[in-house]
Amino acid sequence: MIKSYKIILTVQFFVLAVFGFVLYTVEYGIAFAVIPKLILLLIGFFFLMTLGISIFIQRLIVSVIQSDLEVVDLENSSEDKFWRISFFTNLVFGVIVFLFSIICVILNFGIGIKGYSGFGIRFSVFFGILFVASLVVGLFLRIKDSVNEVNGLLGGLMILLSALIFGGSLFFGLNQLVSPQYSSSEIIEAIPFVLEVDETEVSQDSAYAVIDTTVVDSTTTFGQDEDITDEELSDEEEDDYYGFKKMKPTGVKSTGFFKGYFDGSYTDTKMRNLIQYFLADFLNLKKGEYSISIKNVIDTESQIAEYSEIKHLGKVLRDDDEALAKSFKSYSPIIYSLLSKKIYVESNLKQLVDVLIVSRDDISSTDDASKVMDKIYNAMISRSKRESPIDYYRKIVPYVSNSTLALMKKKAYAIGGNSDEAATIIVYSFWARRYHEGNDTVVYDILTEIKKHYDISE
């Protein structure tokens, strides 16, 4: 017979606290990883397991400190009703979570981890929420017993509040920890969001020098290798880490390709402003980081205009590989003058260029590169919502060599992915899109020219 619910719940609190401390730094795979069935069952059983450990410790305490008679007397007291209700609420929580994991396994209903980092913290917080909720439910139902004799309506209100807290805490806790594979946009669209960036935004630099997140530099730095201090940045440019907007290189000219291709308004000054905006506000380049940010693109009307223009130019150039090649050749001197080799290396752009080139060489070394590109692209556009991004990764990984996979794992952060799986999807989907657009060869040539440019300067 279970005795002294108060001792059980007190022990359970400390057991959960210990597990929370132990699991604090635990990370789990990747943000979109579907949890294996065995691990899912273990997670579902965890709350019942902690309750069982607590009961076992309670039995030891009772046998050593208290007599069964004293505990029985305590159980019959009014005070212990609160602890008893809380205990059974805990038990119901544990049973529901465990049954939920069993049902997901039986129905093959994929459950994914919500967020890459902090899994251990969120795991502990989830069970902490359930534990606190059980105490609150116990309190409300105990109040219900007191007020029911006076006013039945108040008793009903306590029951309603208990039900809301029970269901709300369970839903909120689960929602912060895991997500259904088949319905959650955070799991299903985690990688597609990254993939869409290069096609709709990053590749829209007017000179296309960035080649979907690839920026170049020059040995001719025009005095831009010096460190930019915080004091040198104005309030309006505090997010411009390298001070791109303050750079005004003189004597740098392009061949003015856009003047003939579009119209005469595309002066070198205008092009420099567009490129500066793209580097400072959109790519938001910083030391040791690679990120794509559009947080500043709608700050002012001028930025909205610049963003829209870059988007338009990029779309046109992707459909005309010859114009893409000529535009890069025409405006690369301006880009080189703005981006020193120091920035190129510090901001991880060098690593990104290297990985893109290696991955394209990897595809080209296959027996039928065109067929591989088609398969990757078709897998990308045909993936249903019932497939998680990790399923997509499994479809393209057969076409990736072991050496490239090792490189992806090493360079994942520099590429912008939170794992080697995410990085692989980003890079190979990039090339699948370029192939589908018909500009993959031109893009590869530009990347090769960029790499050669920096190799020579070493």
Side-chain angles (χ1 to χ4, degrees):
M1 179 178 180
I2 298 175
K3 304 182 185 302
S4 184
Y5 300 109
K6 182 177 181 179
I7 296 177
I8 294 174
L9 294 181
T10 302
V11 171
Q12 186 183 6
F13 170 79
F14 287 104
V15 171
L16 288 174
V18 170
F19 273 114
F21 179 79
V22 172
L23 299 173
Y24 182 80
T25 59
V26 172
E27 306 290 348
Y28 183 88
I30 52 180
F32 50 81
V34 175
I35 307 173
K37 295 179 180 179
L38 179 59
I39 296 179
L40 182 61
L41 288 174
L42 290 176
I43 292 176
F45 186 67
F46 183 83
F47 203 52
L48 286 177
M49 180 184 71
T50 61
L51 196 58
I53 293 174
S54 303
I55 293 173
F56 174 76
I57 296 175
Q58 175 265 348
R59 295 301 298 158
L60 294 177
I61 293 175
V62 169
S63 63
V64 174
I65 300 177
Q66 295 177 300
S67 69
D68 286 352
L69 180 59
E70 291 174 333
V71 175
V72 170
D73 291 339
L74 179 62
E75 283 187 326
N76 292 327
S77 70
S78 175
E79 175 187 351
D80 197 57
K81 289 183 179 180
F82 159 73
W83 298 105
R84 185 165 63 251
I85 295 171
S86 298
F87 168 81
F88 282 107
T89 303
N90 261 275
L91 182 61
V92 173
F93 271 134
V95 171
I96 290 177
V97 174
F98 186 50
L99 288 177
F100 175 74
S101 64
I102 293 178
I103 292 172
C104 289
V105 169
I106 294 176
L107 298 180
N108 199 29
F109 193 82
I111 297 295
I113 291 297
K114 181 172 288 188
Y116 169 64
S117 62
F119 171 76
I121 298 174
R122 288 180 285 109
F123 185 72
S124 302
V125 169
F126 167 56
F127 291 109
I129 290 173
L130 297 189
F131 178 77
V132 173
S134 70
L135 298 180
V136 176
V137 169
L139 177 62
F140 279 163
L141 292 182
R142 183 67 190 90
I143 294 175
K144 188 266 299 182
D145 290 340
S146 301
V147 303
N148 213 28
E149 298 178 359
V150 179
N151 191 321
L153 184 61
L154 287 177
L157 178 61
M158 292 300 102
I159 295 177
L160 176 61
L161 290 176
S162 299
L164 290 176
I165 291 173
F166 183 92
S169 59
L170 187 62
F171 174 79
F172 178 78
L174 282 173
N175 190 54
Q176 297 304 308
L177 180 65
V178 296
S179 185
Q181 169 189 341
Y182 300 154
S183 61
S184 171
S185 60
E186 295 195 36
I187 299 298
I188 293 300
E189 298 177 4
I191 285 303
F193 170 77
V194 179
L195 300 178
E196 290 172 2
V197 171
D198 70 293
E199 180 167 340
T200 61
E201 294 173 352
V202 179
S203 63
Q204 292 149 5
D205 182 279
S206 53
Y208 213 88
V210 289
I211 311 306
D212 293 52
T213 64
T214 306
V215 192
V216 298
D217 174 26
S218 175
T219 54
T220 308
T221 62
F222 297 90
Q224 300 303 330
D225 255 3
E226 295 78 16
D227 290 334
I228 305 297
T229 63
D230 292 339
E231 290 76 17
E232 293 175 318
L233 297 177
S234 66
D235 292 338
E236 294 180 354
E237 298 170 348
E238 60 181 1
D239 291 326
D240 186 4
Y241 182 86
Y242 286 109
F244 289 114
K245 295 177 182 178
K246 298 176 72 69
M247 299 179 185
K248 297 188 181 298
T250 59
V252 181
K253 296 182 178 181
S254 73
T255 61
F257 173 73
F258 282 171
K259 290 182 179 179
Y261 191 75
F262 292 107
D263 59 64
S265 67
Y266 287 94
T267 64
D268 282 356
T269 299
K270 178 177 180 178
M271 290 305 304
R272 188 187 71 226
N273 290 338
L274 287 175
I275 296 172
Q276 285 174 320
Y277 158 78
F278 187 85
L279 299 175
D281 290 336
F282 190 88
L283 287 183
N284 195 23
L285 296 180
K286 294 181 180 179
K287 183 177 180 179
E289 297 182 13
Y290 173 72
S291 63
I292 299 169
S293 174
I294 59 173
K295 63 184 179 61
N296 295 325
V297 300
I298 59 173
D299 282 354
T300 65
E301 291 185 4
S302 63
Q303 288 176 325
I304 293 175
E306 289 168 332
Y307 174 74
S308 299
E309 189 157 23
I310 288 173
K311 183 175 181 179
H312 168 69
L313 294 176
K315 183 177 181 181
V316 173
L317 292 176
R318 289 202 308 273
D319 295 332
D320 189 339
D321 58 344
E322 183 179 355
L324 172 59
K326 290 181 179 179
S327 66
F328 175 79
K329 183 176 181 180
S330 177
Y331 297 106
S332 58
I334 295 178
I335 301 168
Y336 292 158
S337 69
L338 292 171
L339 286 162
S340 67
K341 181 176 180 179
K342 176 183 176 181
I343 298 175
Y344 175 77
V345 174
E346 278 188 356
S347 60
N348 286 333
L349 292 173
K350 178 182 185 301
Q351 298 186 66
L352 178 63
V353 171
D354 291 344
V355 170
L356 286 172
I357 292 176
V358 169
S359 59
R360 172 59 193 278
D361 290 339
D362 194 21
I363 297 174
S364 300
S365 64
T366 59
D367 295 335
D368 194 338
S370 297
K371 183 179 293 186
V372 170
M373 287 285 202
D374 282 331
K375 288 182 178 180
I376 294 175
Y377 185 79
N378 290 334
M380 180 177 65
I381 63 175
S382 63
R383 183 168 60 83
S384 68
K385 289 189 175 182
R386 291 183 61 85
E387 293 181 292
S388 70
I390 198 65
D391 293 325
Y392 174 48
Y393 168 76
R394 294 190 182 107
K395 289 183 179 180
I396 67 174
V397 75
Y399 309 112
V400 186
S401 67
N402 291 333
S403 60
T404 304
L405 282 176
L407 183 63
M408 292 295 176
K409 187 171 184 179
K410 183 178 179 181
K411 306 292 187 181
Y413 176 76
I415 298 170
N418 57 12
S419 68
D420 51 315
E421 290 91 347
T424 302
I425 294 175
I426 292 171
V427 170
Y428 280 81
S429 295
F430 168 92
W431 284 120
R433 281 194 171 88
R434 301 294 78 80
Y435 172 77
H436 179 72
E437 294 167 351
N439 56 40
D440 58 306
T441 301
V442 173
V443 171
Y444 177 79
D445 291 343
I446 292 174
L447 290 172
T448 304
E449 192 278 331
I450 293 170
K451 180 176 174 58
K452 180 180 178 181
H453 175 82
Y454 287 104
D455 288 344
I456 293 176
S457 66
E458 291 180 350

